[in-house]
Amino acid sequence: FRPGRGGAGDMSGKGVHVVDALRLSDGERDALKRHITQLARSMHRLPCKKEVSLTFRVKHDTEDTSVDVFHLDGTKLRLLQPLHGKGTEWTPFDNTILDKNLLNLRLRDDTKVNTLAEGAISLHRGLSHPNPWIHRAPTNTGQTRLLMVMDA
């Protein structure tokens, strides 16, 4: 996605086709497209951000456990918004114990786990930052989740 200057922006990317495939009314679909465009423009305005990638992730509770453990993202900056279902779980960086290779991450206190609310927007730093965001996909939700991810 490359937002246009003062225009509607290029919404021909694959992520928007996912929006079209959702079972939404015309008004809901148009509102979601405007929402995505507004967020992408905001991300694009950040210093040194020339391009924003957009991904939609659909996860059924019984699938893909690769992100069900607490981890760091390899991106510089990531925006997450759970559009449907339980949101991403996160913990403060100072609540973690990391090995020197950043491969083995453990929590100091299991009670310091927070959940991003459905519809809430989280903008966080990845591995390249000294205080990255530690998070995971929620487990045992019994539901299908739709997560919007923008990387800059």
Side-chain angles (χ1 to χ4, degrees):
F1 178 86
R2 289 184 179 157
R5 291 184 178 214
D10 177 9
M11 291 297 287
S12 61
K14 293 178 184 176
V16 176
H17 295 299
V18 172
V19 173
D20 289 333
L22 296 173
R23 293 183 180 142
L24 301 173
S25 69
D26 289 344
E28 291 169 326
R29 186 176 53 248
D30 291 344
L32 183 54
K33 285 182 178 181
R34 283 191 304 274
H35 174 71
I36 293 166
T37 300
Q38 181 182 16
L39 289 176
R41 283 188 178 144
S42 295
M43 291 278 286
H44 182 71
R45 287 186 191 113
L46 296 171
C48 303
K49 306 303 175 215
K50 300 207 181 324
E51 200 168 284
V52 175
S53 72
L54 171 66
T55 307
F56 287 90
R57 297 181 183 166
V58 178
K59 181 179 183 283
H60 303 284
D61 190 38
T62 58
E63 297 177 352
D64 185 18
T65 59
S66 63
V67 292
D68 293 347
V69 296
F70 281 100
H71 64 278
L72 309 164
D73 287 330
T75 60
K76 290 185 178 183
L77 192 63
R78 176 166 282 175
L79 179 145
L80 293 177
Q81 184 179 27
L83 298 173
H84 177 76
K86 188 174 179 185
T88 303
E89 295 177 346
W90 61 277
T91 191
F93 183 72
D94 63 1
N95 187 39
T96 59
I97 302 169
L98 299 171
D99 70 7
K100 64 181 179 176
N101 298 321
L102 300 176
L103 298 175
N104 185 16
L105 190 148
R106 293 178 295 136
L107 299 184
R108 296 178 191 275
D109 183 349
D110 290 339
T111 65
K112 291 185 178 180
V113 174
N114 305 289
T115 301
L116 188 61
E118 181 178 276
I121 297 170
S122 169
L123 184 63
H124 63 89
R125 301 166 295 242
L127 185 59
S128 63
H129 193 275
N131 189 16
W133 200 57
I134 310 295
H135 63 285
R136 70 177 178 195
T139 57
N140 301 320
T141 63
Q143 58 186 217
T144 298
R145 300 174 59 231
L146 175 61
L147 180 68
M148 182 172 62
V149 180
M150 286 187 191
D151 289 327

